[in-house]
């Protein structure tokens, strides 16, 4: 094979890889939407007899109440300290529902001052609302979030971060991603 033929093949393969990455990103976005919708449907499975969803079912009301507690003083029994000594009110039962690793029985605070502020905010949003936005975020954010999720024993959040990182794998960063994983 000549050099030009090999270069042409490499170029074609790079183009195909680029197209596959674009398609994967589209599918990832769609998958996130489907997973959120699925979670909502499962949570509000107290469906009415005619098949409509009961927006006021017990489970749906619990999810709404927990989501509304994010950064709320109402019923707060702990604080989460972020960078710059920012104290966010927290709720032990919500944290324990996500991970029993925090062992919050004998404490009233968590110190997250070592985490970047955007990572802390994303974890809090995921804990309370079961949502985190990864699309359009830098790999460094996704890696930091995945590392924090691993240290807090949050396997669902880790999986979301891993899926988000797959879209940006390249020859240049694959070793870095592999060592972090």
């Amino acid at each position: 094979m000549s050099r030009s033929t090999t270069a042409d093949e490499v170029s074609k393969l790079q183009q195909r890889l680029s197209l596959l990455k674009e398609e994967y990103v589209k599918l990832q976005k769609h998958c996130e939407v489907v997973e959120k919708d699925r979670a909502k449907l499962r949570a509000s499975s107290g469906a009415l007899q005619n098949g409509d969803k009961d927006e006021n079912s017990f489970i749906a009301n619990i999810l709404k109440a927990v989501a509304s507690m994010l950064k709320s003083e109402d019923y707060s029994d702990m604080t989460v300290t972020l960078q710059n000594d920012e104290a966010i009110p927290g709720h032990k039962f919500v944290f324990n529902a996500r991970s029993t690793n925090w062992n919050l029985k004998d404490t009233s605070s968590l110190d997250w001052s070592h985490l970047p502020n955007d990572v802390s905010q994303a974890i809090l949003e995921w804990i309370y609302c079961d949502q985190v936005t990864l699309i359009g975020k830098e790999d460094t954010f996704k890696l930091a979030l995945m590392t924090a999720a691993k240290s807090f024993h949050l396997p669902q959040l880790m999986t979301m971060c891993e899926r988000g990182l797959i879209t940006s794998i390249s020859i240049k960063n694959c070793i870095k991603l592999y060592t972090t994983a």
Side-chain angles (χ1 to χ4, degrees):
M1 253 188 192
S2 70
R3 248 181 200 217
S4 64
T5 306
T6 304
D8 288 343
E9 286 182 27
V10 168
S11 176
K12 287 179 184 178
L13 287 174
Q14 287 176 336
Q15 288 175 342
R16 287 181 188 161
L17 180 60
S18 178
L19 290 173
L20 286 173
K21 282 183 179 182
E22 287 177 27
E23 191 63 30
Y24 183 82
V25 169
K26 289 178 190 174
L27 288 172
Q28 189 68 26
K29 288 177 184 178
H30 179 72
C31 182
E32 282 184 26
V33 170
V34 169
E35 285 180 3
K36 285 178 186 176
D37 290 346
R38 180 178 168 263
K40 288 176 186 175
L41 285 172
R42 287 182 58 203
S44 61
S45 61
L48 300 174
Q49 287 182 352
N50 64 0
D52 292 341
K53 290 192 305 183
D54 183 4
E55 296 284 332
N56 295 314
S57 72
F58 179 69
I59 294 171
N61 287 337
I62 287 175
L63 291 175
K64 288 177 200 171
V66 169
S68 73
M69 292 175 149
L70 177 61
K71 300 181 183 178
S72 172
E73 294 279 346
D74 294 343
Y75 311 108
S76 174
D77 54 358
M78 62 177 280
T79 58
V80 180
T81 305
L82 308 181
Q83 282 184 341
N84 303 325
D85 292 327
E86 180 183 359
I88 303 290
H91 306 83
K92 291 180 182 182
F93 85 94
V94 177
F95 280 76
N96 280 325
R98 284 297 190 176
S99 174
T100 56
N101 190 57
W102 278 300
N103 194 17
L104 298 170
K105 289 180 183 177
D106 301 325
T107 187
S108 62
S109 66
L110 290 174
D111 182 9
W112 289 4
S113 59
H114 63 285
L115 295 174
N117 215 23
D118 57 345
V119 170
S120 299
Q121 298 291 345
I123 292 172
L124 285 170
E125 186 173 342
W126 182 80
I127 287 171
Y128 281 86
C129 303
D130 199 37
Q131 296 178 357
V132 65
T133 302
L134 297 175
I135 295 171
K137 299 285 186 174
E138 295 291 323
D139 289 347
T140 53
F141 169 79
K142 294 174 190 175
L143 284 170
L145 184 60
M146 186 172 77
T147 302
K150 184 176 182 178
S151 71
F152 294 148
H153 299 275
L154 304 169
Q156 297 95 344
L157 183 55
M158 278 183 55
T159 300
M160 290 174 73
C161 293
E162 288 169 353
R163 288 179 184 162
L165 284 166
I166 287 173
T167 62
S168 61
I169 291 178
S170 68
I171 294 172
K172 294 178 184 176
N173 68 4
C174 67
I175 294 174
K176 179 181 178 183
L177 295 176
Y178 178 76
T179 56
T180 303

